[in-house]
Amino acid sequence: MKPFFFISAVISACVSVCIVLFMIILGLPLFREGLFFSMLTSPWNPSNGVFGLYPMIIGTLGISSLALVFGFPLSLGTAALISGLAPKPLAAVLRKTVQAMTGIPTVVYGFIGVFLLVPLIRNLAGEGSGMCILSSALLLSVLISPTMILTFSDTFDQVPVKTRMAATALGATPVQTFLWVVLPASKKGLVTGLILGMGRAMGDTLIALMISGNAIAVPDSLFSPARTLTAHIALVIASDFDSPEFKTLFACGLVLYGFTALSTLAVRAIDTVFRSES
Amino acid sequence: MKTTTLKNMALAFILILLIPTGLMAGSLDSFKGEKGSLKISGGTAHIPVMKDAAKRIMAVNPDIQISIAGGGSGVGITQVGEGLVDIGNSGRKPKDEEIAKYGLSMVEWAIDGVGVAVNPANPVGSLTKAQITDIFSGKITHWNQVGGVDKAINVYTRDEASGTREVFGEKALNKGPITTKAVVVASNGAMKSSVATDPYAIGYVSVGHMDKSVKAVSMDGVAPTVDTVKSRKYPIARGLYSNTKGTPKGLAKKFLDYLMSAEGQSLAESHGFIPVK
């Protein structure tokens, strides 16, 4: 049995290394011409031969970080309710609902977003199309929450009952127990949940494509349309395989890969700092 | 005498049997006894007609599976060229390089106009060509500059692979720029639903897709309708092409023949396109 697991682990690690190599090899012409780094800071203007990714990088970072800002407190609160703060029947209903939410296809969120959220945001903003950073971040936060909620509540449940009972015996209310006993004991799970949520937010294509407006201008407010790296790939992949636009997609993929890797490392680093302090 | 009458009657009977099949060659009957699947992708303007034709063919012959996907004209040409689909649709004539590279053969089965569309609640119903160019380039930014309400204009455009965008950019905007702040949507259907829900929107859709959910804007006094496109009074028009790699064979050929048949052409007409026959 052990060799089997070993082989599966090696294969999945290889796949992810191969993808990076594949993108580097196909993107090699861009590196050779020294275009790769200038692409990171220039705009996208194919008719003038400029194929920069700067607006998309800002779009991706803006939308996914905002989605986390909305989604994290929401998830933390719901997970707390599920794992002890809510009465048992309510907690059970909540957990089942959240589990069901993980199965909703992204396109359904996108559809609801187009017909309900976008008009609402448009009226709220008073101008613009309503297809903007704020709309897609709000919708993305709903999309990534179930993943975070389930990870969080699993970690909360792992805190031994004895520890909780000890806190209760000392006169702590359920909320106090959660804040001062359960939460500090669950740091690792919180970090894992955050990483998973962030990965989903950055990697999601459809919501960004349907809701964020895909404009190639650098967004200057929460209400401006923006294009993410993933939506950019989806929109440009339809062009001719030989076109220069198409070739820049590999750089796009590399940047996206780099972001996910960097943000995972960053969250892990924060985690270690916290750990050494406590 | 008696035998000749019998002979004539037999001949007439055979002729009667033959006439319908002869007349309906290329129509639904030709699909009888066929089997297999047909994959179609590309231009999104084509989709309503393609879907209708496929539905009729599959109703007559359930052994045929026809799948229809969008993606845009660029996708249609690339996918049929790379052998991923049997028919690749495009809302523009494939470029000479594309024809040479993939050995494409094409059928132009309808003509379609591209019209400017705004929300039905918008009082603006007519614009000059210069105004349209300025709105899409971002020079005119508010509706009150062209006789509308005091609100910012939300410009919608299509992705790079869109044939509709290509034709509109060439014939309406004279290849002029489109503002970078424009919202980009990925199909004619998405364009229509965006404009239908956004009161300050302006976009462009295939005339075949125009319906009551959006308001067609006249350009230089000419409304984009089937009639004005047909009489060439409305200048922004293009052919709808279905492309195959090499000469069409088998199911793909029968499907294209069906589109060119009387029934196929009236199907195209019923969806707001101008038949070529």
Side-chain angles (χ1 to χ4, degrees):
Chain A
M1 216 47 198
K2 212 174 160 191
F4 174 76
F5 287 129
F6 180 71
I7 291 170
S8 331
V10 169
I11 290 180
S12 34
C14 274
V15 166
S16 104
V17 173
C18 282
I19 292 175
V20 180
L21 284 180
F22 169 79
M23 285 190 297
I24 291 180
I25 291 169
L26 287 168
L28 215 54
L30 296 170
F31 285 107
R32 217 175 282 146
E33 293 161 31
L35 279 173
F36 183 76
F37 292 101
S38 70
M39 275 171 67
L40 298 183
T41 52
S42 47
W44 175 260
N45 188 353
S47 51
N48 290 344
V50 183
F51 303 102
L53 299 175
Y54 181 66
M56 291 59 135
I57 291 172
I58 298 297
T60 298
L61 289 181
I63 290 175
S64 53
S65 52
L66 200 61
L68 274 183
V69 168
F70 293 139
F72 183 69
L74 187 80
S75 305
L76 201 61
T78 317
L81 281 178
I82 290 178
S83 311
L85 288 186
K88 278 254 158 58
L90 178 64
V93 170
L94 265 178
R95 185 189 286 271
K96 284 273 172 270
T97 316
V98 172
Q99 280 167 347
M101 275 173 75
T102 55
I104 299 176
T106 330
V107 67
V108 174
Y109 286 115
F111 199 69
I112 292 172
V114 168
F115 288 101
L116 291 177
L117 186 64
V118 168
L120 201 75
I121 300 286
R122 176 168 51 230
N123 291 337
L124 191 76
E127 65 164 32
S129 63
M131 295 194 175
C132 61
I133 293 189
L134 183 64
S135 308
S136 59
L138 279 171
L139 211 57
L140 263 184
S141 70
V142 180
L143 178 84
I144 63 176
S145 288
T147 316
M148 293 203 281
I149 293 170
L150 293 176
T151 321
F152 291 168
S153 86
D154 282 351
T155 350
F156 296 160
D157 290 345
Q158 277 167 19
V159 176
V161 181
K162 274 186 190 164
T163 320
R164 294 182 191 225
M165 279 164 78
T168 315
L170 289 172
T173 64
V175 175
Q176 285 169 332
T177 312
F178 175 76
L179 280 180
W180 306 111
V181 177
V182 177
L183 212 50
S186 316
K187 267 184 202 155
K188 203 169 170 210
L190 292 181
V191 170
T192 316
L194 254 182
I195 291 176
L196 287 175
M198 189 155 50
R200 265 208 96 174
M202 279 197 179
D204 177 79
T205 311
L206 206 69
I207 287 189
L209 193 64
M210 289 174 83
I211 307 293
S212 63
N214 303 316
I216 49 175
V218 179
D220 49 17
S221 84
L222 286 183
F223 297 110
S224 17
R227 188 183 285 200
T228 64
L229 287 163
T230 47
H232 182 65
I233 294 179
L235 285 167
V236 174
I237 206 158
S239 61
D240 190 358
F241 288 176
D242 284 336
S243 63
E245 286 99 320
F246 190 83
K247 285 175 189 144
T248 60
L249 287 187
F250 300 106
C252 217
L254 269 179
V255 173
L256 201 55
Y257 209 101
F259 272 156
T260 330
L262 269 182
S263 48
T264 310
L265 287 178
V267 177
R268 291 254 181 253
I270 295 170
D271 181 41
T272 357
V273 171
F274 269 133
R275 244 166 240 255
S276 54
E277 271 176 10
S278 56
Chain B
M1 186 68 188
K2 211 178 176 185
T3 46
T4 42
T5 347
L6 260 180
K7 239 188 205 167
N8 282 344
M9 273 175 70
L11 204 66
F13 189 66
I14 288 169
L15 273 178
I16 289 168
L17 274 180
L18 281 177
I19 285 167
T21 43
L23 275 183
M24 292 177 63
S27 184
L28 285 176
D29 274 4
S30 72
F31 291 96
K32 284 211 169 116
E34 283 285 345
K35 224 182 203 163
S37 67
L38 184 67
K39 279 183 287 194
I40 303 174
S41 76
T44 58
H46 305 53
I47 290 178
V49 178
M50 294 281 150
K51 277 204 170 138
D52 238 7
K55 208 162 73 190
R56 283 170 194 222
I57 292 164
M58 291 194 283
V60 174
N61 186 341
D63 286 338
I64 299 177
Q65 281 301 318
I66 302 177
S67 67
I68 297 154
S73 300
V75 173
I77 290 169
T78 322
Q79 289 196 342
V80 75
E82 301 286 341
L84 300 172
V85 294
D86 305 299
I87 297 177
N89 293 325
S90 61
R92 58 173 168 86
K93 192 166 186 253
K95 293 178 195 129
D96 289 338
E97 310 95 76
E98 289 168 333
I99 298 173
K101 184 174 165 198
Y102 294 130
L104 294 182
S105 116
M106 61 209 131
V107 174
E108 182 187 14
W109 50 269
I111 307 210
D112 176 28
V114 178
V116 175
V118 296
N119 191 274
N122 196 324
V124 176
S126 181
L127 293 167
T128 65
K129 199 173 169 185
Q131 283 174 326
I132 291 174
T133 314
D134 285 349
I135 288 175
F136 277 91
S137 72
K139 218 189 244 169
I140 294 178
T141 54
H142 283 72
W143 280 113
N144 56 5
Q145 289 168 274
V146 290
V149 291
D150 182 17
K151 280 284 184 182
I153 300 176
N154 299 328
V155 177
Y156 287 76
T157 185
R158 290 280 311 278
D159 53 285
E160 305 276 345
S162 157
T164 314
R165 172 184 176 140
E166 188 153 322
V167 172
F168 187 76
E170 198 172 301
K171 298 193 174 167
L173 307 179
N174 298 329
K175 298 192 176 172
I178 294 178
T179 168
T180 56
K181 292 199 186 293
V183 170
V184 181
V185 294
S187 70
N188 268 298
M191 176 68 89
K192 202 169 66 175
S193 58
S194 302
V195 174
T197 50
D198 181 349
Y200 312 115
I202 190 166
Y204 49 90
V205 285
S206 141
V207 169
H209 278 72
M210 286 275 189
D211 59 23
K212 278 189 191 135
S213 68
V214 294
K215 179 168 159 189
V217 175
S218 300
M219 187 173 84
D220 292 332
V222 184
T225 64
V226 174
D227 291 332
T228 54
V229 175
K230 204 174 190 172
S231 66
R232 301 191 182 274
K233 240 174 107 186
Y234 187 77
I236 311 168
R238 39 79 182 265
L240 292 185
Y241 292 84
S242 286
N243 311 295
T244 51
K245 195 178 171 74
T247 36
K249 285 181 285 284
L251 265 183
K253 177 172 170 31
K254 289 193 172 169
F255 188 84
L256 296 178
D257 285 347
Y258 176 67
L259 284 179
M260 294 302 277
S261 73
E263 193 176 329
Q265 289 287 295
S266 71
L267 214 57
E269 196 169 10
S270 73
H271 282 286
F273 300 120
I274 292 107
V276 289
K277 276 195 172 166

